[in-house]
Amino acid sequence: MRCRGQRHPVGSAGEPHASERAPAESMAENREPRGAIEAELDPVEYTLRKRLPHRLPRRPNDIYVNMKTDFKAQLARCQKLLDGGSRGHNACAEIYIHGLGLAINRAINIALQLQAGSFGSLQVAANTSTVELVDELEPETDSREPLTRIRNNSAIHIRVFRVTPK
Amino acid sequence: MRPQLAHSADAVEAFGSTETSESLAEMSNAKERKHAKKMRNQPTNVTLASGFRAERGGKHHFGAGRPFQSQKQELHSGTSQQWQNKMSPHLLPESDGNEQSSSKIMFKKKGGWKAGPEGTSQEIPKYITASTFAQARAAEISAMLKAVAQKSSNSLVFQTLPRHMRRRAMSHNVKRLPRRLQELAKKEAEKAAHQKKELSKNKCHKARRCHINRTLEFNRRQKKNIWLETHIWHAKRFHMVKRWGYCLGERPTSKSHRACYRAMTNLCLLQDLSYYCCLELMGKEEEILKALSQMCSTDTGLTFAAVHCLSGKRQGSLVLYRANKYPREALGPVTFIWKPKKTPGDTSEDRQLWIWLHPTLKLAVLEEMKTVCQCSEPASSSVSVPDPLPTPDQEESQPELADDNIGKKRKRKDDAEGAKRTKRTLGDGTRDPCQPRSWVSLPTGIVISDLTMEMNRFRLIGPLSHCILTSALRAAPLHTGEEDAEETPHPWWSDTCKGSDGVVLHQRQEAVFQLLGGVSSPAEIPAGTILGLTVRDPRTNLPPQRSRALPHPEIHQASEFSCEEGMCTGSWSCALWKPLSDHTDDPDNEQVRQLLLEGVPVECAHSFIWSRDICRSVTESKISDQDLNRMRSELLVPGSQLVLGPHESKIPVLLIQQPGKVTGEDRLGWGSGWDVLLPKGWGMAFWIPFIYRGARVGGLKETMVHSQYRRSPNIPGDFPDCLAGVLFAEDQAKDLLESYKRRPPAKRPNYVKLGTLAPFCCPWEQLTQDWESRVQAQEASPITSVPGAQDNARQLAVPCVPEETCQSNEADMSENHPTEPEVTGCQAQAGAEMVLEHSASENHAAAASHQLCVLRSRKLLKQLSAWCGPSSEAGRAPCSGQPELTRKAYLSILDDFPRALVWVSLSLLRKGSPEPRAMICVPSKEDLLQLSQDPCYHGPRESRHSDPFKSLILKEKEKKKMEKRQSREHAASTGLAAGVPTAEQEARIRGLWSGPLPGLTSHCSRVLLGFVTQGDFSMAVGCGEALGFVSVAGLLEMLSSQPAATRGLVLLRPPGSLQYRFARIAIEV
């Protein structure tokens, strides 16, 4: 599958949001060498402000993984979605785990943990994509225009779904 | 068994009677005694002993097989027989034997049905005398009915209804009650009507509610404090406060703290900021910039001359200072927007600048601006020929016109009212109404005018604000050619539509506005983006019911999902899963992307709201709510859309993006939203549609919460270097002192014992002074650079307070304190109030040389911010490119800013939730050591101080008593004697430090660094968070003495507690 590239602005923004409680996305993204940007730009003239990734409406079975929430809590959240309520109703047949940047690792980890703990009833299918992130460069002096730059970051989207065990 | 049963039944009967004292004595059964007590107040002829009877029956039943139970029964029955003999004549005095037997039988029947199944024989009565039987029952029934009909509680009928059945105005209108209760309620209402006092007879209710009278009444009520246009809406739902010359909603009456937070985070919170003041500057660009450049500094960031702001594309914000006085004498923070340069039909060189500011800051800023621009004389009509400025004449007429259209409140009949009304509608509580509203400068040609209350400003906060805006506002339809022939009430709009430029521009604006609906959060748009728009009357497409506007993925994403196979419809995140080729030809995406990157193009920032003529005509030509509703009711199909055609109003609006949290690392973009500027008179017409789309409304408290979670200073409370901030602090201190004094001394904290010198205000002046002298003393001492010696240096470094040392133990404390007040306390009889005023007056007076200032230089803030970080130098230093924290570096800062404060944010490490005016202190080495060793360590405790004033106050009281006695003995001049002690009584308040404050920094066991101004448990982070100021000198000294690993740790202590808590300090730039 092709990645969503620069030409696809709206749909491309599958930024892993944190859970609603702690929407702190910034830490998960952008592990590109930060020095690269700052080498080009004089920090005296510009301040780098990272903007939030484009946010998308989410279904109940979308889980955006972040690096701030406890790993166990995120795993439990996924497990709960798959298991459903007390008597198994509202259980999702499939969930989507999204991870961006640094959180890719963790997303994979969560998906594999889920699979390992399911005794073969869960399968995973992963997709990758590229997310465009916007960096704003705020001028420090009056004579300069604010700039925006686009930076790409990888994201992973793992579909975890139930299969009937043989 | 049979007689036993019969006896027991009799016993029951006997029990029901009122005389049971004897039986009680015999039975000695607690339960039965209790029951008897319960039955004592029953009417004599009703013997409802069902519960007890059942119990007894049960006993018979279950206890049949057990010997000890049966014994008991025998005993019981034996006794009961006795009672029966005694009681039965008493119970039914007039009945003969037959009756007795019949009633007995009845009870036996009832009581015996439990025994029945067991197989014990049950005696069926041979005969019953119907008349007596019925008589007895009838008496019982009537008593029962009487008991039921009697209302035991003291409440009214409608108050007894369950909550879901209650209706508004139930107490007035009987018919709102359920029908079965209406009779009762009517009776009650009649009763109440007699008790009610007579209403004034001059006006009946209807007359008072009459439109004109209400208007007059409303006008009278807003004479002193101006009402916003949404006032009546707010007054029904909010706790209103009179503040800054306005009546403002403080907080909703409903319980909604968390709901408002959620609205800000996930939904949309609406606020009416129309009380913000707008100053307009008009003139040549260079002239304006030249004049204003004196009032701001490039050190603090961008100024009025920033390129993107100057073009009119973005909103700018900065802090103003008195001319050429930076960094001291701040005036306050403002936001500003320039009118875009090239607008259709505008060829003049004049630029227009709007400066928006808080009403408390307006007086000072306006004065300063007038001096800077040399605008001394009020504008006369001759000056304002090119652009019609409000001359005094126009001023008179303008509000009148506006009033008639604002209509509902301000219609007036007699001319005598005119003058008052003019004053009101000009709508500014912070300024003398007789003063002119615009000033012109002859040398520079700059015209300053005050546009306060000329516009409405609504703020939408939260991610759903886009949806609400796009669904509530619709771009105005263009006028076509043939409509121009007929008379339209909106000539400006038809003029615009004639020119192709105007049409194109309008269409572009509309297109951009529609794109906003596809952007899920305002934080994704460049900060301060401005979008102008001309919209239809939002009342015409009001939804029939309040609902929540939600993003429509299918609208904005329909093209993407059309070819999606199967499972993933409905969520954008699934767009990831399909081939790229589907999206490339979608023009919308490209445009949204452009919008996100570049913001709104400059041309689209233009709005007709800049032109005062058009605004006025829009305000005048507003169709009143009444007319609109009438037209709606005359529609052929009820509920269908009202089509007004060319008569529909077109309203110019300006949308300004408000950046949320931009500084710091986490929660970026939190609390971002849009401000909507509207011409006056249209407030309610936009307010209700916003609410009908699901916006929640917040008041001043929500503004505070918003600024706290954004970690930005709140206006005016968090600007201690502004006059407005000082006054605000004084007011607050006065209020707090009042509420403190209302409590008895034993029921309020003794702040002297708690070691809190200033519990109601933050004495910034004294704090910075103390730290300055500390640092000076330290410099004087030879041992400086060795970090270990700094504690010694600190001890030496208190020349102004020689007695006290920072590490003094309790003994020292108790020794020191009694001595001091005796020196000072005698002269300072003014007490704590004086202290508050003292510090404030110092602020006013000490303007000249060393004045407190707040550090706002971006370069220095960045440096400090880097130093505050806890991480090791290896990671931090090369990244930020900041110099190392050396003694030399920090002394150089202190040379420039000897008495500076810096805005910091603190997040608590472990436990605790901070309060406003909590003290920020420097942790000692032992504290840090213990923190690293003990994972459960929450912080040290301050030892209790002694209260030297208590005995003094007692002594004074004694003295006063003595004097009183003496004066009474003298008895000559009683009036004089009575007057003196009351004055002295004000002098000391128990539990507060009286007299001038001793050395602030070293009063407690930990050295004081600063104070918290906003602090609470933060729902956004999930732990306590505080914002406040610390002394720069103190901060630097603390940082340089702390090891790199624990750098930036401080202690927080609320004014009413002895417990310190650890917090991490951060400076966000």
Side-chain angles (χ1 to χ4, degrees):
Chain A
M1 176 166 287
R2 277 177 66 191
C3 296
R4 300 170 312 141
Q6 291 87 329
R7 290 187 296 162
H8 173 215
V10 169
S12 70
E15 147 65 358
H17 295 286
S19 59
E20 301 96 314
R21 272 165 289 120
E25 282 89 75
S26 57
M27 68 288 121
E29 85 216 22
N30 181 31
R31 287 293 132 176
E32 286 171 26
R34 203 185 291 168
I37 293 171
E38 284 182 9
E40 302 166 34
L41 292 157
D42 189 355
V44 177
E45 284 162 356
Y46 284 102
T47 317
L48 177 71
R49 294 217 190 282
K50 285 185 221 160
R51 219 186 276 165
L52 283 190
H54 189 74
R55 195 176 164 145
L56 299 168
R58 51 204 281 186
R59 295 161 301 178
N61 60 346
D62 278 321
I63 290 198
Y64 291 93
V65 172
N66 70 0
M67 295 303 289
K68 200 170 189 184
T69 312
D70 184 40
F71 176 82
K72 258 183 140 177
Q74 298 190 41
L75 183 67
R77 197 167 149 225
C78 298
Q79 192 67 56
K80 210 168 157 191
L81 267 184
L82 286 168
D83 292 347
S86 54
R87 268 159 289 165
H89 53 75
N90 295 330
C92 297
E94 52 174 15
I95 60 169
Y96 295 90
I97 301 172
H98 308 268
L100 172 68
L102 187 63
I104 290 178
N105 226 342
R106 181 172 272 197
I108 295 170
N109 211 342
I110 286 178
L112 292 179
Q113 287 281 332
L114 284 174
Q115 196 189 14
S118 70
F119 305 108
S121 70
L122 290 177
Q123 285 293 322
V124 293
N127 275 286
T128 56
S129 69
T130 306
V131 173
E132 283 183 356
L133 301 171
V134 181
D135 282 340
E136 215 167 324
L137 294 164
E138 210 175 70
E140 291 281 317
T141 51
D142 285 343
S143 53
R144 286 173 192 276
E145 283 267 2
L147 298 175
T148 43
R149 305 172 154 253
I150 292 199
R151 174 163 55 84
N152 289 325
N153 208 345
S154 350
I156 195 166
H157 315 276
I158 309 170
R159 175 169 165 247
V160 182
F161 54 99
R162 238 172 232 298
V163 287
T164 45
K166 284 149 200 168
Chain B
M1 201 66 185
R2 192 169 55 86
Q4 276 176 15
L5 260 178
H7 285 309
S8 72
D10 288 346
V12 166
E13 206 171 346
F15 253 114
S17 72
T18 47
E19 269 75 39
T20 50
S21 54
E22 206 179 330
S23 65
L24 273 176
E26 285 185 42
M27 276 177 66
S28 78
N29 186 340
K31 213 180 223 174
E32 289 172 8
R33 202 186 301 148
K34 203 166 145 199
H35 174 79
K37 207 173 172 189
K38 203 158 109 195
M39 300 310 286
R40 196 162 46 203
N41 291 332
Q42 284 284 319
T44 39
N45 51 352
V46 183
T47 53
L48 299 169
S50 62
F52 185 57
R53 190 168 56 234
E55 186 192 323
R56 297 224 83 190
K59 260 185 192 166
H60 285 293
H61 174 65
F62 294 116
R66 298 180 201 167
F68 67 92
Q69 275 277 357
S70 59
Q71 266 179 16
K72 213 186 197 176
Q73 273 169 18
E74 271 170 27
L75 187 128
H76 274 263
S77 57
T79 53
S80 61
Q81 181 127 43
Q82 287 170 10
W83 308 330
Q84 196 225 339
N85 292 340
K86 279 175 195 164
M87 296 307 162
S88 50
H90 204 91
L91 171 68
L92 298 162
E94 75 279 0
S95 60
D96 58 12
N98 277 350
E99 280 166 20
Q100 208 174 337
S101 65
S102 73
S103 65
K104 241 189 256 170
I105 288 156
M106 204 282 299
F107 272 105
K108 204 191 294 168
K109 243 176 154 180
K110 267 193 164 177
W113 69 260
K114 284 211 168 171
E118 208 186 38
T120 53
S121 71
Q122 191 176 6
E123 194 182 358
I124 295 165
K126 295 266 165 43
Y127 58 91
I128 310 171
T129 316
S131 61
T132 44
F133 183 78
Q135 217 172 358
R137 297 294 83 71
E140 279 174 10
I141 289 169
S142 70
M144 209 150 65
L145 281 177
K146 201 173 143 202
V148 167
Q150 222 171 34
K151 201 149 54 62
S152 56
S153 69
N154 210 11
S155 57
L156 299 172
V157 174
F158 62 87
Q159 287 170 334
T160 58
L161 276 175
R163 206 163 272 276
H164 71 276
M165 287 175 75
R166 295 194 194 168
R167 296 292 177 269
R168 200 170 62 90
M170 243 178 187
S171 57
H172 289 292
N173 193 349
V174 176
K175 296 212 166 141
R176 287 176 194 259
L177 281 158
R179 194 162 281 167
R180 65 189 167 81
L181 294 176
Q182 283 182 6
E183 272 300 307
L184 274 174
K186 210 180 272 174
K187 249 181 244 166
E188 264 175 13
E190 277 164 16
K191 210 195 269 172
H194 291 303
Q195 292 165 353
K196 228 180 235 168
K197 65 173 180 186
E198 286 287 299
L199 279 169
S200 64
K201 272 181 187 154
N202 52 356
K203 272 175 191 171
C204 65
H205 177 74
K206 204 173 173 186
R208 272 183 281 121
R209 296 288 294 181
C210 165
H211 183 79
I212 299 166
N213 291 334
R214 279 185 91 187
T215 314
L216 283 176
E217 179 64 13
F218 286 165
N219 277 344
R220 186 188 63 74
R221 270 150 55 181
Q222 54 180 317
K223 242 183 241 168
K224 219 176 200 175
N225 292 289
I226 301 158
W227 289 2
L228 304 183
E229 281 174 30
T230 55
H231 175 85
I232 293 179
W233 190 94
H234 271 103
K236 290 173 184 169
R237 295 160 180 88
F238 276 69
H239 295 287
M240 304 300 284
V241 288
K242 296 188 169 65
R243 203 168 284 177
W244 312 314
Y246 297 89
C247 270
L248 303 174
E250 202 203 358
R251 57 183 201 279
T253 48
S254 57
K255 200 173 159 182
S256 62
H257 184 64
R258 192 171 288 262
C260 285
Y261 165 72
R262 283 191 184 134
M264 277 188 254
T265 317
N266 302 323
L267 310 170
C268 178
L269 188 84
L270 177 63
Q271 286 179 316
D272 189 355
L273 294 188
S274 305
Y275 62 91
Y276 265 63
C277 301
C278 177
L279 299 178
E280 186 187 64
L281 266 73
M282 275 174 56
K284 295 240 163 40
E285 186 182 304
E286 310 84 63
E287 294 286 351
I288 294 180
L289 285 180
K290 204 179 95 192
L292 290 180
S293 65
Q294 301 168 38
M295 293 177 67
C296 47
S297 164
T298 47
D299 269 9
T300 59
L302 302 180
T303 65
F304 288 102
V307 188
H308 54 289
C309 298
L310 197 57
S311 65
K313 199 176 162 189
R314 305 278 179 87
Q315 173 190 252
S317 63
L318 48 84
V319 178
L320 288 183
Y321 288 84
R322 280 203 189 281
N324 303 317
K325 286 280 173 61
Y326 174 82
R328 284 165 192 87
E329 300 194 45
L331 289 173
V334 298
T335 60
F336 63 91
I337 44 178
W338 287 92
K339 186 182 176 182
K341 260 177 198 159
K342 280 179 223 147
T343 56
D346 183 21
T347 50
S348 67
E349 279 295 296
D350 273 7
R351 293 297 305 270
Q352 212 171 334
L353 169 70
W354 278 352
I355 296 173
W356 284 88
L357 67 169
H358 196 269
T360 47
L361 314 171
K362 195 180 87 175
L363 261 186
V365 170
L366 189 60
E367 282 309 308
E368 193 62 25
M369 229 165 240
K370 277 198 280 184
T371 47
V372 160
C373 301
Q374 303 159 21
C375 294
S376 48
E377 52 206 88
S380 61
S381 55
S382 60
V383 184
S384 58
V385 169
D387 195 273
L389 284 165
T391 59
D393 285 335
Q394 278 171 325
E395 251 175 81
E396 291 262 323
S397 62
Q398 188 184 352
E400 273 172 37
L401 291 167
D403 282 356
D404 290 345
N405 283 286
I406 292 168
K408 63 175 191 289
K409 300 188 261 189
R410 294 172 182 167
K411 208 160 270 175
R412 68 104 191 277
K413 291 297 156 208
D414 50 336
D415 284 355
E417 263 282 301
K420 283 180 197 165
R421 250 169 12 87
T422 311
K423 171 172 143 193
R424 215 166 15 254
T425 328
L426 286 181
D428 185 1
T430 56
R431 182 182 46 118
D432 188 359
C434 309
Q435 276 182 353
R437 312 179 60 220
S438 68
W439 299 265
V440 72
S441 138
L442 294 178
T444 54
I446 300 175
V447 184
I448 300 178
S449 31
D450 182 1
L451 296 187
T452 306
M453 296 295 279
E454 288 293 307
M455 274 171 286
N456 281 302
R457 187 180 180 118
F458 294 160
R459 177 164 290 177
L460 294 149
I461 302 165
L464 278 196
S465 48
H466 279 156
C467 304
I468 286 173
L469 281 177
T470 44
S471 61
L473 308 182
R474 297 280 152 86
L478 294 168
H479 275 218
T480 49
E482 61 264 28
E483 278 163 354
D484 289 350
E486 55 182 290
E487 189 65 34
T488 70
H490 317 290
W492 62 274
W493 183 242
S494 44
D495 286 350
T496 317
C497 294
K498 270 176 205 154
S500 64
D501 284 358
V503 173
V504 169
L505 179 60
H506 180 67
Q507 280 164 347
R508 281 193 67 182
Q509 285 178 340
E510 188 181 348
V512 171
F513 181 66
Q514 287 309 321
L515 285 180
L516 281 186
V519 179
S520 56
S521 163
E524 291 169 31
I525 311 253
T529 300
I530 297 173
L531 173 64
L533 202 61
T534 310
V535 297
R536 294 172 55 180
D537 191 336
R539 291 172 295 176
T540 52
N541 60 347
L542 194 67
Q545 271 190 333
R546 198 182 155 182
S547 56
R548 180 174 288 170
L550 287 170
H552 303 290
E554 64 280 1
I555 292 177
H556 299 290
Q557 218 63 19
S559 56
E560 289 194 23
F561 280 114
S562 53
C563 47
E564 185 80 26
E565 65 271 65
M567 58 201 183
C568 308
T569 47
S571 169
W572 290 9
S573 50
C574 298
L576 321 164
W577 296 75
K578 62 206 179 78
L580 189 63
S581 54
D582 295 350
H583 313 298
T584 47
D585 45 17
D586 189 359
D588 245 22
N589 286 334
E590 206 52 49
Q591 283 170 9
V592 168
R593 180 191 153 95
Q594 194 68 24
L595 177 69
L596 296 187
L597 284 185
E598 305 291 326
V600 177
V602 189
E603 309 88 79
C604 293
H606 167 262
S607 169
F608 290 105
I609 202 171
W610 287 97
S611 153
R612 209 171 299 167
D613 284 338
I614 290 176
C615 272
R616 197 177 305 149
S617 90
V618 166
T619 309
E620 284 162 24
S621 64
K622 185 190 170 194
I623 303 170
S624 72
D625 279 354
Q626 193 188 8
D627 292 342
L628 203 78
N629 287 338
R630 189 177 40 78
M631 282 188 259
R632 210 177 269 153
S633 70
E634 284 164 3
L635 280 175
L636 276 179
V637 183
S640 62
Q641 185 104 32
L642 186 64
V643 181
L644 293 169
H647 291 281
E648 188 177 341
S649 306
K650 279 70 181 181
I651 307 111
V653 299
L654 202 60
L655 305 173
I656 306 169
Q657 198 262 5
Q658 295 296 325
K661 191 175 177 305
V662 285
T663 57
E665 290 283 308
D666 56 338
R667 289 189 290 122
L668 285 176
W670 187 91
S672 56
W674 287 88
D675 275 14
V676 187
L677 297 190
L678 309 167
K680 75 174 167 190
W682 281 92
M684 278 316 281
F686 281 79
W687 187 256
I688 296 295
F690 285 153
I691 289 164
Y692 266 55
R693 260 72 179 205
R696 182 175 268 278
V697 180
L700 292 176
K701 201 189 106 208
E702 277 65 42
T703 315
M704 285 267 290
V705 171
H706 185 227
S707 74
Q708 186 181 336
Y709 286 179
R710 270 169 56 218
R711 300 198 187 130
S712 63
N714 183 35
I715 312 169
D718 292 339
F719 287 86
D721 52 342
C722 296
L723 187 62
V726 173
L727 292 175
F728 180 84
E730 274 175 40
D731 283 351
Q732 202 184 26
K734 220 174 278 172
D735 289 348
L736 288 168
L737 182 66
E738 275 307 308
S739 59
Y740 180 77
K741 280 202 290 195
R742 274 202 295 273
R743 290 175 162 246
K747 299 282 181 289
R748 64 193 188 196
N750 185 340
Y751 286 119
V752 180
K753 282 189 177 175
L754 289 166
T756 311
L757 286 179
F760 307 131
C761 67
C762 310
W764 303 118
E765 195 72 27
Q766 208 181 340
L767 177 82
T768 47
Q769 263 175 26
D770 278 12
W771 270 106
E772 194 190 7
S773 46
R774 254 170 185 276
V775 170
Q776 278 167 2
Q778 204 174 18
E779 272 182 87
S781 67
I783 30 157
T784 45
S785 54
V786 188
Q790 291 211 341
D791 281 330
N792 299 333
R794 199 178 288 160
Q795 284 186 359
L796 294 172
V798 277
C800 60
V801 255
E803 309 280 321
E804 299 181 11
T805 55
C806 50
Q807 261 106 10
S808 60
N809 49 24
E810 298 95 356
D812 273 351
M813 286 288 185
S814 50
E815 277 171 11
N816 282 340
H817 292 309
T819 58
E820 236 176 275
E822 258 152 25
V823 180
T824 57
C826 305
Q827 317 115 337
Q829 289 176 341
E833 280 154 303
M834 257 300 254
V835 178
L836 304 178
E837 282 164 31
H838 171 72
S839 65
S841 62
E842 247 185 7
N843 272 3
H844 297 308
S849 59
H850 280 299
Q851 209 193 1
L852 149 111
C853 68
V854 174
L855 194 67
R856 295 203 180 89
S857 154
R858 285 183 64 84
K859 203 180 119 218
L860 290 180
L861 282 177
K862 274 184 185 169
Q863 220 166 57
L864 278 179
S865 161
W867 287 343
C868 277
S871 57
S872 60
E873 305 83 33
R876 179 64 68 165
C879 169
S880 55
Q882 298 291 350
E884 276 295 292
L885 173 56
T886 55
R887 180 150 188 87
K888 204 177 145 198
Y890 95 68
L891 282 180
S892 73
I893 294 179
L894 291 188
D895 282 343
D896 296 340
F897 298 96
R899 288 194 192 176
L901 296 172
V902 65
W903 177 249
V904 294
S905 68
L906 304 140
S907 62
L908 282 134
L909 273 194
R910 284 167 188 176
K911 260 175 118 169
S913 119
E915 287 169 29
R917 292 171 302 282
M919 288 159 278
I920 306 171
C921 304
V922 182
S924 70
K925 282 222 175 85
E926 299 79 56
D927 298 338
L928 293 176
L929 192 70
Q930 207 165 347
L931 179 74
S932 60
Q933 284 170 351
D934 184 1
C936 294
Y937 185 61
H938 295 304
R941 275 180 78 85
E942 174 76 22
S943 53
R944 190 177 287 274
H945 295 220
S946 68
D947 186 357
F949 303 106
K950 200 174 170 184
S951 55
L952 278 181
I953 289 173
L954 286 179
K955 248 182 235 166
E956 269 175 19
K957 237 182 208 169
E958 283 292 308
K959 213 193 253 174
K960 225 174 281 162
K961 256 185 203 166
M962 287 287 285
E963 276 173 12
K964 230 179 204 174
R965 214 171 291 155
Q966 281 171 1
S967 68
R968 213 176 286 155
E969 279 167 16
H970 288 303
S973 57
T974 42
L976 211 150
V980 176
T982 47
E984 272 178 26
Q985 224 161 25
E986 292 291 301
R988 284 213 178 100
I989 300 152
R990 255 170 87 172
L992 286 185
W993 194 273
S994 55
L997 303 182
L1000 260 186
T1001 49
S1002 47
H1003 183 71
C1004 298
S1005 59
R1006 305 294 184 283
V1007 184
L1008 186 71
L1009 204 59
F1011 292 99
V1012 167
T1013 60
Q1014 304 176 39
D1016 201 355
F1017 179 82
S1018 165
M1019 286 186 277
V1021 186
C1023 67
E1025 269 207 319
L1027 300 166
F1029 287 100
V1030 295
S1031 154
V1032 173
L1035 179 71
L1036 284 173
E1037 196 191 300
M1038 183 194 82
L1039 290 178
S1040 62
S1041 64
Q1042 279 179 341
T1046 57
R1047 193 171 279 176
L1049 284 182
V1050 290
L1051 290 171
L1052 282 187
R1053 181 164 75 94
S1057 156
L1058 290 171
Q1059 179 73 49
Y1060 289 96
R1061 304 275 187 202
F1062 281 103
R1064 184 171 293 290
I1065 211 163
I1067 296 173
E1068 294 180 343
V1069 197

